Amino acid sequence: MPKVNTFKVKVQTGLQGMSEPVHFNFNNHNMPFENVTGSTGAGETFEGSFDVNSFAHSLTLSGPKSGKWGIDKITVEYDCENEKPYSVKFGGVNLDESTEVNIWQDPPVLAFDV
Amino acid sequence: MNFIKRIFTGMKQEPEEPVVEESSVTEEIESSPVAEEAAQTEAEPSFPDVRRVLQIPVISEGVFPEGSDEVLIKAQPSPTGDQCLFTVNRSLMTGHSWYFADFESAEGSSLAERLFSQEDVETVLVCECTVTITRKDKTLFDWAPLAKDVGTAIREAIQDGEGLIAEKIIADLPTEEEVREGIQKVIDIEVNPGVAGHGGNISLLDVRGNSVTIQMGGGCQGCSAADLTLKQGIHTSFRTAVPKVGAIFDETDHTAGLNPFFS
C-alpha cells in the first residue's frame, strides 16, 4: 500500500458525453478533481489531478449522478512515495449513477531480462 | 431513552401520546404535512448509496519487441518472494497448462527436466508462454541468480527443439467438463465447508483448457490470510482431487468493498 503523492487522470470520452463535474473516490472519500482542463463532452478529453499525500487502498472514478458517461480510454499517472512515477492505461467503460470504475493499480513489480 | 433504544433495535420512532385537546388534533394534522414528513425522515435514516465498482482491463504495452527471432525471457518475482514468473516471447504449451510437482513428474518433458536440474527449483507450472517457479529455499528473496539459470534452461530447451511437454501428458489432457466437475465437487464438499467457518466462500468462475479461475468471497475477500488460504489450502485440495488441473488463477479484488484489510 504505497503513499500516493499525486495522481493525474486523462479521460477520453466516446460517443456518450456528460456535463457534470468529474468526481473520484479515494479510500471511499468522494472528491472533485483539481487543475481541470478539457471536458467530458462526446469525443472530448478531460484532464484533472489531485494532491493526495495519503496511503491508497482504493481509487475509483465516479459515474455521473444522472445519465450515462461512455468512456473510451482512461490514462492515470501516479506519483507515489519511494516509487518511480508510473502510468496505467485502462480500456473503455460505461458509467452511470450506480457505478464507479476502479482506476487504482499498484506500482509495477520489478521485472528483468534473463 | 427511546432514541437510544431505536439505535440498537432499528425500531421506528413511535408517536408519543399527544398532550393536546381532542378538538385540535385534526387541525394540526391538516395544517402541518411538512412536520409529519420530517418526523418520518428522522425515524428512517437514509444511508449513502453504495455504487458498484467496475473492473476494466489494463491496456498493457508489449513486453517484447515484435518479430524477434531470439528467445527473449523476462523474470518477475512475486511480491511475496516465493515464486517467480518467467514470460517468454513464444508459446510453450498452447491452450493448456501443466503443473509439475516434482522431478519425477517431469519425465519426458524436456523443459521441466532442465528446470528441475537447478538445485533450488521446487515446482514448475507451464502455462501458455509463461513458466512459474517456486523455490525450495523460502528464506531467499533475491531471485536474480536462480532466475538467470532458469532463463538459460528455458532458452536451451526451446533451442533444442525436443518436446517441451511429454507426449503422454498432451495425450491425457482432461476435457474442460471433467475439470469443471471435479473442481466444483471439491469446492462444494471440501473447500467451502472449510472456509465457511470464517464466513468465506469460493466460487469457480471459469475453466479454460485445464486452467481454472476462482473468486474468493464473503470473509475471504479482503482477508489478510487469503494468500495463505489460496496457496496452502485451495491449491492443495484442487491438485489432490483433480491431479490434471493446471494453472489456478484467483480473480478476487481484495481491495474492493468498504472494509478490506488485505493490504
Side-chain angles (χ1 to χ4, degrees), chain A residues 28 36 46 57-58 66 70 83 99 105 108:
Chain A
N28 290 320
V36 171
F46 167 91
H57 75 72
S58 69
S66 64
E83 301 283 351
T99 53
Q105 281 285 308

Side-chain angles (χ1 to χ4, degrees), chain A residues 22-41:
Chain A
V22 184
H23 282 70
F24 64 93
N25 272 305
F26 188 87
N27 296 350
N28 290 320
H29 295 286
N30 189 267
M31 286 173 283
F33 280 99
E34 294 173 344
N35 311 313
V36 171
T37 58
S39 85
T40 53

Side-chain angles (χ1 to χ4, degrees), chain A residues 89 98 100 102 112-114, chain B residues 52 54 59 74-75 155:
Chain A
K89 287 178 187 165
S98 66
E100 52 192 295
N102 173 48
F112 51 95
D113 294 308
V114 290
Chain B
R52 192 160 49 92
L54 307 176
I59 302 169
K74 270 203 190 297
R155 192 171 284 108

Side-chain angles (χ1 to χ4, degrees), chain B residues 173-233:
Chain B
L173 283 169
T175 64
E176 286 185 2
E177 204 45 48
E178 286 170 346
V179 175
R180 192 187 308 277
E181 270 180 30
I183 294 295
Q184 191 60 57
K185 195 175 170 187
V186 75
I187 286 175
D188 294 340
I189 293 173
E190 192 178 325
V191 177
N192 272 346
V195 295
H198 302 264
N201 62 72
I202 308 297
S203 17
L204 177 61
L205 291 186
D206 193 24
V207 178
R208 295 271 170 95
N210 61 336
S211 303
V212 298
T213 305
I214 59 160
Q215 190 172 43
M216 303 170 99
C220 293
Q221 186 268 321
C223 176
S224 54
D227 192 54
L228 199 69
T229 305
L230 179 71
K231 286 175 183 165
Q232 294 191 5

